[in-house]
Amino acid sequence: MPIITFNGHEAVRLRKANTASSWGNRSEINRVEPVAKPAFSVPFRLEPGEKIFTIGSCFARNVEAELRKRGFKVPMRDLFKTPAFEKLSPEIVNNFGTPSIYNELAWAFGEEPFDEGKGFVEVRPGQFIDLHMVPSIRPGPIEDVRARRAGLHEATRSLADCRVLIMTLGLVELWYDNVSGDYLNVAPLPSTLNAFPDRFSLHVLSFDDCYRYLHQAFDIAFKYGRKDLQVVLTVSPVPMTATHRDCDVLVANSYSKSVLRAVAEQICAEDQRISYFPSYESVTLSDRRIAWMDDLVHVTEYLIAFNVDRMVSAYSGEDGAELAPPDAVELPRESAEALIFADKARDARNRSDRAFFKKEAHRAKDSPGFAIEYARFLFDQGEFDEALAVIADDDSRSAVVLRGELLYALEDFAAVVETVRPLCKRGVKGNAQWRLRTNSAVRLGSVEEIEATRDAWIVADPRRETFILTQIGSALRRAGHQDLAFGHLSKAMGHTDAYAVTQLEMATLLLERGEIDRAEATIADIKPEIPAQENRLAALRKRIDAERAA
């Protein structure tokens, strides 16, 4: 059944009257390149200083920050002034799927009971987690977990006092709790999956699934909200980091976003109180080098700020200042032809085609993309100094990391640390800079630099503290500081999100200390996550057998 129907004359009239009915072209100023600016309707205005309720995935958190700057009240941010939340990141209230959004509204307004016996899990004696909150929250006493859940319910009920609701939809690949019959907000921790192997299953939702939960969520919002409640609905442009399906994440993510975008269109067509803001289109249709950070998952701060400012300014009745573009080093510097040739250079590198690079080496002066591939080719050939010369003037993250890798190959470890240190900060995605800094500190034998790397890394990415402690523990072990390594690895293993690699590192350390029984016990129930860990586990067991036989 069509979601919208016009008669022929009306359809033609609308097309002619719509200034955004066509794409434009490159021969004139257009709204597509390099940053896409889709047109959108503004059916109502925000009132200065009013309370605005936000719910959904990470774009909602970005909107919150801009709203607060402009003097609006954001109840979901006030939650983090309470004792139960004051040391936590706002990201912990992200809701990625339409079932999760429905759950939080249904529980908060009493449409469904929240069952502690199924929603809370004891991961070790006296330590509990809330399955419906992000796993970066440390396990704690049941009283703390209850206080957080109660605080979230209270904050969610503040929707009833708000005239405006801003909601962002995230993904459709969700985990289902077979015991409670509820969808989880995020994937269970590996340790939780291992402890309850039959409890959870992965579901890829259909249009009907997503539509049903979103429709029910809005039913609750309009039932308990103000009579004049207005909704701004968006789809997050941030893709899935990884898929659990047996297909390319590009394909899985395309399905996920397509379903959510279709659901949003259907919902908006049915209810005039709900309007759509095209943040998804703006990001995904913009030049990728402006839109995406180097991890190809997170949106650049510039484009986030651009879209949030554009939305808030429009709904506030302001023109909005045109944001300054990113630094020149971040902007596209090459033609489409140059980028295509850089892709050819990547293929030539994979073929080890020296003749190609000998013929085309001159392109490195004008094409950073080609220069990177040429430098990587020289790296593969062991020509480290020549590779450094090719990218000497490039300050992009990719070039800086590659420069660090080349210096590491030349065993200039102090230079590696100085080269990558500027990248070791919050907002710069990826692990390569941290790995290079840590490994160089090991080769330098510098405990101080290893610990400085740890401190900076945890500040930059606090949600991955377990992983970071494991990497630093490994570094300290390799540097010969067994006691310090043991302290870091013990702390990491005490977390509920401890990795298989953490157990492998601890077992390796214990073997080096001559504690064979403890090493064996550490890996007794390990569940390797990748083939490399399976190989390492097999080697450790063989080593333990050899130690016992000696």
Side-chain angles (χ1 to χ4, degrees):
M1 182 176 180
I3 61 172
I4 300 173
T5 301
F6 299 119
N7 67 43
H9 291 295
E10 179 67 4
V12 172
R13 186 194 68 78
L14 286 170
R15 178 182 63 78
K16 290 181 177 180
N18 182 4
T19 58
S21 65
S22 62
W23 289 79
N25 59 74
R26 289 194 174 101
S27 66
E28 58 190 33
I29 295 175
N30 65 72
R31 67 187 191 288
V32 180
E33 294 178 331
V35 175
K37 308 176 185 70
F40 58 98
S41 299
V42 183
F44 68 93
R45 295 284 190 225
L46 297 176
E47 298 174 359
E50 73 173 314
K51 290 197 292 185
I52 300 174
F53 187 81
T54 50
I55 192 169
S57 64
C58 47
F59 186 71
R61 308 288 82 77
N62 301 132
V63 173
E64 289 171 355
E66 184 65 24
L67 289 171
R68 295 178 76 200
K69 286 181 187 177
R70 297 184 181 224
F72 294 99
K73 299 180 180 65
V74 183
M76 290 305 292
R77 283 299 181 96
D78 292 340
L79 174 65
F80 294 89
K81 299 175 184 178
T82 63
F85 286 84
E86 60 183 355
K87 295 182 179 180
L88 300 176
S89 166
E91 295 175 351
I92 71 164
V93 296
N94 286 349
N95 292 106
F96 298 101
T98 59
S100 299
I101 294 173
Y102 165 75
N103 286 342
E104 294 301 340
L105 293 173
W107 292 329
F109 288 101
E111 290 289 308
E112 290 192 18
F114 180 85
D115 188 338
E116 286 188 4
K118 296 174 181 176
F120 298 162
V121 171
E122 188 173 20
V123 293
R124 54 178 180 267
Q127 299 291 297
F128 293 81
I129 60 171
D130 185 332
L131 287 173
H132 297 276
M133 287 192 178
V134 297
S136 58
I137 304 175
R138 293 284 180 77
I142 190 67
E143 294 79 10
D144 293 351
V145 179
R146 281 178 180 146
R148 282 194 293 268
R149 173 51 57 185
L152 180 56
H153 287 173
E154 182 177 356
T156 303
R157 285 192 291 272
S158 67
L159 166 63
D161 302 321
C162 298
R163 186 180 65 94
V164 178
L165 161 62
I166 299 176
M167 180 185 293
T168 304
L169 310 181
L171 47 80
V172 305
E173 192 171 301
L174 302 173
W175 288 86
Y176 184 74
D177 185 343
N178 298 310
V179 172
S180 69
D182 295 320
Y183 281 101
L184 305 186
N185 186 30
V186 290
L189 291 169
S191 56
T192 306
L193 281 172
N194 293 335
F196 306 97
D198 298 321
R199 178 168 178 173
F200 306 102
S201 55
L202 182 77
H203 289 192
V204 179
L205 273 58
S206 67
F207 173 93
D208 290 339
D209 294 327
C210 295
Y211 173 83
R212 183 175 67 258
Y213 278 105
L214 187 59
H215 197 288
Q216 290 173 342
F218 281 130
D219 285 345
I220 295 172
F222 290 122
K223 177 179 179 180
Y224 293 95
R226 288 174 41 162
K227 299 297 184 183
D228 57 350
L229 179 64
Q230 295 281 338
V231 179
V232 179
L233 183 61
T234 73
V235 173
S236 171
V238 179
M240 293 186 290
T241 304
T243 181
H244 291 85
R245 300 173 62 187
D246 185 21
C247 66
D248 193 315
V249 68
L250 276 68
V251 176
N253 184 70
S254 180
Y255 170 78
S256 180
K257 298 300 183 182
S258 297
V259 167
L260 292 175
R261 182 62 188 88
V263 167
E265 192 73 11
Q266 178 80 36
I267 288 282
C268 290
E270 292 174 347
D271 196 323
Q272 294 184 349
R273 296 170 294 183
I274 306 172
S275 55
Y276 179 75
F277 176 74
S279 57
Y280 172 74
E281 289 81 356
S282 176
V283 173
T284 57
L285 293 173
S286 292
D287 189 298
R288 292 192 63 81
R289 293 162 293 173
I290 292 177
W292 303 101
M293 299 179 72
D294 284 350
D295 64 0
L296 303 180
V297 171
H298 290 86
V299 181
T300 59
E301 292 183 4
Y302 166 72
L303 210 53
I304 289 173
F306 175 86
N307 272 284
V308 173
D309 177 78
R310 192 164 179 252
M311 183 185 76
V312 176
S313 293
Y315 279 90
S316 299
E318 304 170 4
D319 291 334
E322 184 73 19
L323 294 181
D327 294 337
V329 71
E330 299 176 25
L331 288 170
R333 293 173 285 170
E334 301 183 65
S335 65
E337 180 183 3
L339 290 173
I340 291 171
F341 205 89
D343 194 57
K344 291 180 179 179
R346 188 175 301 112
D347 291 337
R349 177 171 66 87
N350 291 334
R351 298 193 309 269
S352 297
D353 189 345
R354 181 175 289 276
F356 171 89
F357 286 105
K358 183 177 181 179
K359 178 182 177 182
E360 307 293 346
H362 64 280
R363 294 180 181 271
K365 294 180 181 179
D366 302 315
S367 171
F370 179 88
I372 287 286
E373 296 305 324
Y374 185 23
R376 285 173 175 158
F377 168 78
L378 293 170
F379 190 0
D380 294 341
Q381 305 304 310
E383 300 173 37
F384 307 136
D385 289 318
E386 293 82 351
L388 282 169
V390 170
I391 57 171
D393 298 325
D394 192 343
D395 293 326
S396 68
R397 178 188 175 278
S398 297
V400 172
V401 168
L402 180 54
R403 194 149 46 240
E405 291 172 343
L406 288 162
L407 291 167
Y408 191 89
L410 289 166
E411 299 188 1
D412 191 347
F413 305 117
V416 175
V417 172
E418 292 305 312
T419 297
V420 302
R421 183 179 283 133
L423 298 180
C424 294
K425 60 184 180 181
R426 192 177 187 89
V428 180
K429 302 296 180 181
N431 292 322
Q433 65 269 30
W434 299 104
R435 172 179 52 79
L436 283 165
R437 183 175 173 182
T438 302
N439 290 341
S440 296
V442 171
R443 297 296 295 271
L444 290 168
S446 173
V447 174
E448 292 79 7
E449 183 59 35
I450 293 174
E451 292 180 336
T453 302
R454 174 203 62 203
D455 295 342
W457 201 348
I458 290 175
V459 168
D461 199 356
R463 292 178 297 176
R464 302 183 70 204
E465 183 176 354
T466 304
F467 172 80
I468 295 166
L469 290 172
T470 300
Q471 298 304 306
I472 297 301
S474 174
L476 290 165
R477 176 186 64 79
R478 288 179 282 125
H481 298 278
Q482 293 187 347
D483 289 343
L484 289 173
F486 184 81
H488 283 74
L489 293 172
S490 295
K491 186 175 181 180
M493 288 189 65
H495 297 174
T496 58
D497 58 342
Y499 299 83
V501 69
T502 310
Q503 294 172 274
L504 292 168
E505 280 294 339
M506 178 61 90
T508 302
L509 174 62
L510 291 170
L511 273 177
E512 291 177 357
R513 290 163 58 125
E515 300 180 48
I516 300 173
D517 291 340
R518 290 185 67 186
E520 187 172 36
T522 298
I523 58 175
D525 61 349
I526 192 171
K527 290 181 172 59
E529 297 156 1
I530 56 176
Q533 292 175 3
E534 293 176 357
N535 295 337
R536 188 173 178 187
L537 177 60
L540 277 171
R541 285 174 172 161
K542 185 176 180 180
R543 185 175 167 187
I544 288 171
D545 291 341
E547 292 283 348
R548 291 196 185 282

